Amino acid sequence: QVQLVESGGGLVQAGGSLRLSCAASADTSRPGTMGWFRQAPGKEREFVAGINRSGYTNYADSVKGRFTISRDNAKNTVYLQMNSLKHEDTAVYSCAARLLSGLISLPQFYDFWGQGTQVTVSS
């Protein structure tokens, strides 16, 4: 089992920045790929960014050039640096982990999920 705990959400003005963190605690399993997803009210959950254990990353087109995902394997922690935030980035952001290392953007392929953290961008 892998438990994921997110932190770093909050309220920010458009154009501002936030950094989300996700700490993974595991008994016997170490996460392969870790990712961030988000869900806005009335919308489906969407992929934001992913990173595997080797550091390879992938991003949704809507956040490329603005968001950066990184990972500290020693601490089993993944980060999402969000810059140039827009009102449409407002959502609940959830960390996810899968035991395999393939970079997958579909939520059904992730094995473990955090509880989510709210990010609100005021326009």
Side-chain angles (χ1 to χ4, degrees):
Q1 284 292 326
V2 177
Q3 290 81 43
L4 303 172
V5 179
E6 302 102 333
S7 60
L11 174 64
V12 65
Q13 288 188 334
S17 299
L18 280 176
R19 189 174 88 148
L20 305 183
S21 299
C22 174
S25 60
D27 46 12
T28 58
S29 303
R30 291 183 60 197
T33 291
M34 297 183 74
W36 289 95
F37 291 78
R38 66 186 183 186
Q39 187 168 20
K43 294 188 177 181
E44 293 187 354
R45 178 182 287 169
E46 65 173 351
F47 172 77
V48 176
I51 184 168
N52 67 9
R53 201 175 294 165
S54 299
Y56 289 98
T57 60
N58 61 336
Y59 294 91
D61 287 343
S62 59
V63 306
K64 280 181 182 176
R66 300 188 299 121
F67 291 10
T68 302
I69 190 170
S70 60
R71 179 173 181 166
D72 185 335
N73 287 332
K75 296 181 179 180
N76 259 353
T77 299
V78 65
Y79 306 95
L80 184 68
Q81 178 66 43
M82 305 184 293
N83 299 328
S84 302
L85 282 161
K86 305 175 181 179
H87 178 65
E88 51 264 42
D89 293 318
T90 296
V92 174
Y93 284 70
S94 297
C95 176
R98 60 193 304 259
L99 297 178
L100 300 178
S101 285
L103 286 171
I104 301 292
S105 61
L106 298 173
Q108 59 263 38
F109 289 95
Y110 283 77
D111 306 301
F112 308 100
W113 291 84
Q115 80 285 357
T117 185
Q118 177 70 45
V119 171
T120 302
V121 184
S122 61
S123 56

